[in-house]
Amino acid sequence: MTQTDSQMNQSARAETRPGLAARAGGWSARHRKEAIFGWLGFVIVALVLGSAIGTKHMADADGSSGETHRAEQMIDRNFPPIAGESVLIQSSTHKPGSSQFQAAVKDVGRRLDAIPDVKRLKLPTRANGGYSKDGRSAIVTFDVPDPASKEAKKRVDPMLNAVAAAEKSHPGFRIDEFGDASANKALDDTLGKDFERAEKLSIPMTLVILIFAFGALVAAGLPVLLAISAVAATMGLVAIPSQVFPVDSGIASVILLIGMAVGVDYSLFYLRREREERARGRDPRSALAAAAATSGRAVLVSGLTVMVAMAGMFITGSKTFSSFGVGTILVVFVSMIGSLTVLPAMLSWLGDRVDKGRIPFVRRLRRADGEPRVWGRVVDGVLRRPVVSVLLSGAALVAIALPALGMNTKLTGFEDLPKKLAIVQTYDRLNQAFPGGQVPANVVVEAKDGVRQPQVQAAVAQLEQKALASGEMFGPIDTNVSPNGKAEKIYIPLAGAGTDAKSNHALATLRNDLIPRTVGSVPGVNAATTGETAGTKDFNDLMAARTPLVFAFVLGLAFVLMLVTFRSIVIPLKAIALNMLSVGAAYGLLVWVFQDGHGEKLLGFHSNGAITAWLPIFLFVVLFGLSMDYHVFIISRIKEAVDRGMKTEDAVAHGIKATAGTVTSAAFVMVAVFAIFATLTTIEMKELGVGLAAAILIDATIVRAVLLPATMKLLGKWNWYLPKPLRWLPRTNHAPVLPDRRPEPAKA
C-alpha cells in the first residue's frame, strides 16, 4: 500500500470515527439553540446555586503547617476569635514620667474603655514593658473580638476615631493604632481599590489585543464573553466542593486569573482555525467541522494537560494549595466544555458575520493565507540556522535562570508592604520602639487539667525569664488565658525583622531549648509555637519536602498524556525540557528583580531579600499548564501536516507560522492582564504579575518561535520516534475531517 493510500484510509477512518471534540462541535452546530441556551442556563443555575449555598472558606488554622498548625488548632479549640491591637503614643518633647505624657496615656485609655468592643485593655507600666527603652514611647494594648467577621470593619472604626480624637486633644503627641483588625481594614480598602482598577483595565486591554488579533469587533468579543461566562459559572460551582473542603479566601482571584487566560486561549484556538478554513475556500459547515476536529481536539488535550498540572497542587500537603487546585481545575474544565460546545454553536449561528466590524489596517498586517508576516520571517531564519538558534536562545534562557539557584522564600508580612501606606509607617515606628512586638512568637500552652495550676504558671514565668535573659527575645511579654482555662497564649517578641536569620535563630532557641526546659517539661502539658516567623519556617519546610513530589507528579502525568496523544517519546521529553526553561527563566527574573531588588524603583517596592513562599510552586503548576497549552496547539498542527504527507521540516515551518499569530495573541492577552498585577500594592501580587507575564512572554517568543522549530528541524524524523515496546499505543489522526456534504440546518 502506498503512503497516499495509507493517508486516505486514515482520513476515511477519521471520518467514520470522529473524535470527541469533532462530535461535540458537530452536535452543537446542528443544535445551536440547545447549545447556546443550554450554556446560558448552566451559567445562571451555577451562579444561583452558588449564591444560595454560599462558598465556605477555611479557617486560618487550615492554611498553616507543621508545629504552627498544631498551635493554631489549640487556639481554635480554646480561644474565641480575637485580634490584638496596639496604640503607640510618642512625643519628642515629653517623657513618659511627665504629667502631659501621663495625661495622654490616660485619655487614650478612657476613650477606648468606653467602647464596648474593646476587651482586655492594658495601659503601660514599667513592670509590663509598656514603655520603650528610649523613653519616648508608650504602648496601650487591647483586643477586638471576631476580627474576621463581616462586622469587623464597622467594629474597628470607633476605636480608630477615638485614637484620632485623642491625638487631636494632645498637641505635641503622635498617637496611632496598629493591629490585625485595623491593619486588615486599611489593607482591604487599599487592595479593594487595586483589584477594582485591575478589573476595569483587564477586559478593555483584552478586547484591544483581540481586535488586533482578528481585525474584527465581533470575533474579538466572542473569546471575552466565553471566558467571563466560564469564570462566572465556576464562581458559583466552587461553592459545592467548598461545603466538604473549605477553600482559601483568595480562590476568587485565582479563578479569575486562570479562567480569563484559558478561556481566551481556547476560543482563540478554535475561532482562528475556523476563520482560516473559511479563507481557504471551505464552506461554513466544513470549516467548522475542520476546526472541531483539529483545534477542538487540541483544546481537549490542552485542557486535560492543564488540569493535570493544576492537580499537582494537591500534592503539596497545603490546604490552601489544594483549594486553589479545586478552583483552577474546575475553571479549566468549564472553559474547555464551553469552547467545545457553545463556541461552535455561536460560530454556526454567526457564520461570516463573525467578521463584522472589520478594522482594515489590522488585516493588512497578515498575508493572504492568514500567516503573520513577522513570525514568518523569524521562523524562516531559525530554520536556516537551527544550531546557532538553539545555542544562542538556550544560553540566553539559562543565563536568565541562573539567579534562581540563590532563591530564598518567606511568607510576606506587614513589613513587606509599601512604606507609603500610613498603617505601614505606624508598624515601623512600633517595631522600632518595641522590637519584635508586632510579629511576636505566640507560644500556645494547653493543659488537660487547666493552665492555672501552680506548676504550669511557674513554668510560664520561667519561660518568660529565660526568654528575656536569652538576648534574642524582648519585652513586653504578654499572656492571655483562654475562657475555659485550658490554654494560655504567651506573646514573646523575637529579635530580627520577623523572617530573617536573627528571627529564625531566635525561634530555634525558643522551640528547641527554652520551651522543652520550661512549659514543655510539665506532665500533661502540650506546647507549640505559631506566629509569622514560625509560620514561614514551617511552610518553607513543607514546600522543601513536597516540591520534588509535585514536580514528579506534574511532569510524569504530562509526559504520559503527550506520549499517548502524539505517539512519540521525543515530543513529551522536549516539551518538558522547553517548559522547564520557561519556568526557570521566570524564577531567575523574580530573584533578580525582587530578591536582589533591581526593580524597586520601577515597580515601587522595597526588597525583603526573598520571594513569597507560596509563589514558586504556584508559578510552576500554572506556567507549566499554560505553556503546555501552546505546545499542544502547535505540535498538533505540525503533526496534522505530517499525517497528511508533509516532510517534518516543512510541517514545522507551516505549523509554527500558521499558529504563531494565535499563540502570540493569546500570550499578549495574558501578559497584559498579568502585568496589571505588577502594579498592585502588595509585593506578592507584584511578584505574581511579573513572574507570570515574563514566563508567558518568554515562552511564546523565544521558546515557541526559536527553540521549538530549531530543535524539531535538528531532530527531523526522530521527533516521532516511539520505542517498539510502546507501539501498542492507539493511533490518533491529527488531520482534519473530510468536508461534511450534508446540507446546513436552517439558521436559528
Side-chain angles (χ1 to χ4, degrees), residues 183-205:
N184 285 339
K185 180 182 185 304
L187 290 179
D188 285 348
D189 292 342
T190 301
L191 295 178
K193 293 177 182 177
D194 275 353
F195 283 110
E196 183 179 351
R197 177 167 54 87
E199 290 172 1
K200 288 180 179 178
L201 287 174
S202 60
I203 293 179
M205 289 177 67

Side-chain angles (χ1 to χ4, degrees), residues 576-693:
I576 289 171
L578 294 180
N579 288 342
M580 291 304 293
L581 273 177
S582 297
V583 174
Y587 284 175
L589 280 173
L590 281 176
V591 171
W592 190 81
V593 172
F594 291 97
Q595 183 173 307
D596 298 340
H598 294 290
E600 286 184 330
K601 291 184 179 179
L602 178 63
L603 298 174
F605 69 92
H606 294 276
S607 175
N608 57 18
I611 301 300
T612 301
W614 56 266
L615 195 59
I617 286 290
F618 184 78
L619 275 180
F620 168 70
V621 296
V622 171
L623 292 177
F624 190 86
L626 296 179
S627 297
M628 291 298 288
D629 240 9
Y630 300 150
H631 199 82
V632 168
F633 182 57
I634 295 171
I635 297 297
S636 294
R637 194 63 180 268
I638 294 172
K639 187 65 166 64
E640 174 189 325
V642 170
D643 285 348
R644 298 180 66 181
M646 194 178 290
K647 292 192 301 183
T648 294
E649 180 179 340
D650 295 335
V652 169
H654 165 71
I656 292 179
K657 289 178 185 179
T659 57
T662 306
V663 169
T664 304
S665 300
F668 281 170
V669 168
M670 283 193 278
V671 169
V673 172
F674 295 155
I676 295 174
F677 281 75
T679 68
L680 302 187
T681 300
T682 62
I683 191 171
E684 56 190 356
M685 287 295 104
K686 291 179 184 292
E687 290 173 355
L688 177 65
V690 169
L692 288 171

Side-chain angles (χ1 to χ4, degrees), residues 309 312-313 315-316 546-555 617 620-621:
M313 286 189 270
I315 311 297
T316 61
R546 294 301 183 97
T547 295
L549 298 178
V550 174
F551 274 61
F553 174 84
V554 172
L555 298 181
I617 286 290
F620 168 70
V621 296

Side-chain angles (χ1 to χ4, degrees), residues 9-29:
N9 289 338
Q10 288 179 2
S11 296
R13 288 196 298 272
E15 182 181 25
T16 56
R17 295 195 302 274
L20 177 61
R23 294 198 301 272
W27 182 90
S28 297

